[in-house]
């Protein structure tokens, strides 16, 4: 039996043919079927059709890569291990929705199953997932089993799995407070609460890219080896973990931290923070727990950067090293420096105008 995947369907669409004929020997993945019908191609079952469809160069490759056949994929997808992972994904989906981390059909969850991945379908509220809605995909994002179409953001998950072997699960959602930081383009400051320092660490901001695009994957993958929780600029938050629940915990801790900062920024404050040497103690504790941290090797005086309260004020100064959006980086300038720069540019313009007049 031949597997006809989403990639094959896309190749078939590119041929411009209007009808796709297949026999019982060809198994269409749900993603492939959707792709064909969405492109207006008539899918016809024809017992006499050739077993291998015209445009399926990658189908055997997909099966060869994992050494599986459609029957084997079905068996794997219905194995006790897969059933347990599906239950975990549905449980975490409910928790995401209950905590208002997802809205509408937003968010997605995936986890490793051997060389393959189980992921959530597209177009479904994460609060009401059922195990039978989940999908099996390969590393290229091709759907191998499951009757619902896989999430369109699977690429971004793969960007993490491909560079972090210890990542067993990925959770992406739009928790309001972390997303507020993501749209402000601000990395939450360090040295205010131990919990995030020990269990998450720095949360960098990746620049905005179209959700699900190859460009999105490109900006996430360099950050993933050192960061389990990553802000997706003007979008949301993505976290990886050693289990589905661990990935979810990273999200919960990150959002709780951002929410606390938002509330604290409205209070009159003595602007207290965790000193660098005390943060070092937390990082030592983290090391003992076997949790890596991107700040390893920094001196205590380098750990907190500038006053974290400056970074949660009305006009924050980003003084930690973050993945900056494209364009000139003026975020590291103080307000006085920024005003000076604006003044210098204004003076230059006025000078030029005066020269033109005279
Ligand atoms: Zn999203």
């Amino acid at each position: 039996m031949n597997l006809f995947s989403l990639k094959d369907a896309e190749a078939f669409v590119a041929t411009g043919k209007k009808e796709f004929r297949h026999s019982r020997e060809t198994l269409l993945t749900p993603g492939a079927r959707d792709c064909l019908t969405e492109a207006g191609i008539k899918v016809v079952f024809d017992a006499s059709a050739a077993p291998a469809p015209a445009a399926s160069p990658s189908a055997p490759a997909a099966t060869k890569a994992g050494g599986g056949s459609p029957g084997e994929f079905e068996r794997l997808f219905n194995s006790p291990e897969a059933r347990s992972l599906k239950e975990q994904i549905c449980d975490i989906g409910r928790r995401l929705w209950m905590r208002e981390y997802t809205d509408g059909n937003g968010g997605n969850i995936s986890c490793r199953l051997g060389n393959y991945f189980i992921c959530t379908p597209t177009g479904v509220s994460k609060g009401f997932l059922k195990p039978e809605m989940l999908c099996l995909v390969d590393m290229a994002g091709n759907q191998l089993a499951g009757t619902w179409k896989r999430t369109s953001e699977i690429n971004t998950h793969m960007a993490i799995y491909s560079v972090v072997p210890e990542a067993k699960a990925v959770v992406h959602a739009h928790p309001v407070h972390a997303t507020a930081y993501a749209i402000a383009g601000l990395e939450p400051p360090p040295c205010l609460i131990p919990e995030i320092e020990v269990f998450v660490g720095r949360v960098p901001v990746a620049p905005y890219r179209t959700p699900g695009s190859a460009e999105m994957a490109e900006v996430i993958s360099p950050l993933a080896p050192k960061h389990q929780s990553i802000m997706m600029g003007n979008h949301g938050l993505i976290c990886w973990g050693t289990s589905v629940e661990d990935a979810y915990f990273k999200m919960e801790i990150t959002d709780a931290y951002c929410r606390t900062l938002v509330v604290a920024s409205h209070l009159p404050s003595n602007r207290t923070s965790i000193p660098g040497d005390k943060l070092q103690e937390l990082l030592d504790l983290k090391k003992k727990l076997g949790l890596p941290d991107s700040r390893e090797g920094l001196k205590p005086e380098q750990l907190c950067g500038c006053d974290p309260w400056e970074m949660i004020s009305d006009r924050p100064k980003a003084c930690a090293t973050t993945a900056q959006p494209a364009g000139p980086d003026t975020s590291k300038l103080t307000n006085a420096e920024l005003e000076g720069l604006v003044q210098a540019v204004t003076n230059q313009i006025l000078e030029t105008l005066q020269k033109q007049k005279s």
Side-chain angles (χ1 to χ4, degrees), residues 209-256:
R209 296 291 184 269
T210 303
S213 66
E215 291 77 19
M216 182 81 252
E218 270 168 30
V219 297
I220 294 297
S221 111
L223 296 171
K226 291 204 162 182
H227 305 283
Q228 281 189 257
S229 183
I230 301 166
M231 306 257 184
M232 301 158 84
N234 296 88
H235 182 166
L237 186 65
I238 192 161
C239 303
W240 65 261
T242 51
S243 66
V244 186
E245 189 168 54
D246 183 47
Y248 169 76
F249 277 173
K250 302 297 180 247
M251 178 163 288
E252 210 172 69
I253 294 166
T254 306
D255 192 63

Side-chain angles (χ1 to χ4, degrees), residues 106-108 153 172-174 211 232 235-236:
N108 30 72
E153 291 188 274
H172 160 61
H174 314 136
M232 301 158 84
H235 182 166

Side-chain angles (χ1 to χ4, degrees), residues 318-331:
C319 55
T321 314
T322 59
Q324 295 294 338
D329 178 12
T330 52
S331 59

Side-chain angles (χ1 to χ4, degrees), residues 97-177:
W97 186 79
M98 296 286 283
R99 294 213 64 159
E100 300 182 16
Y101 290 175
T102 62
D103 37 282
N105 301 325
N108 30 72
I109 309 166
S110 69
C111 66
R112 280 188 202 267
L113 174 62
N115 293 328
Y116 301 96
F117 303 86
I118 298 181
C119 71
T120 48
T122 188
V124 173
S125 165
K126 302 302 149 316
F128 304 89
L129 287 170
K130 292 191 168 54
E132 57 270 26
M133 293 175 172
L134 303 183
C135 319
L136 183 75
V137 297
D138 64 16
M139 197 76 182
N142 292 310
Q143 187 158 347
L144 306 170
T147 53
W148 292 60
K149 190 178 174 183
R150 57 123 176 94
T151 167
S152 58
E153 291 188 274
I154 195 70
N155 271 359
T156 324
H157 293 228
M158 294 307 164
I160 295 176
Y161 291 123
S162 60
V163 294
V164 190
E166 59 270 43
K168 296 285 183 278
V170 174
V171 173
H172 160 61
H174 314 136
V176 170
H177 300 86

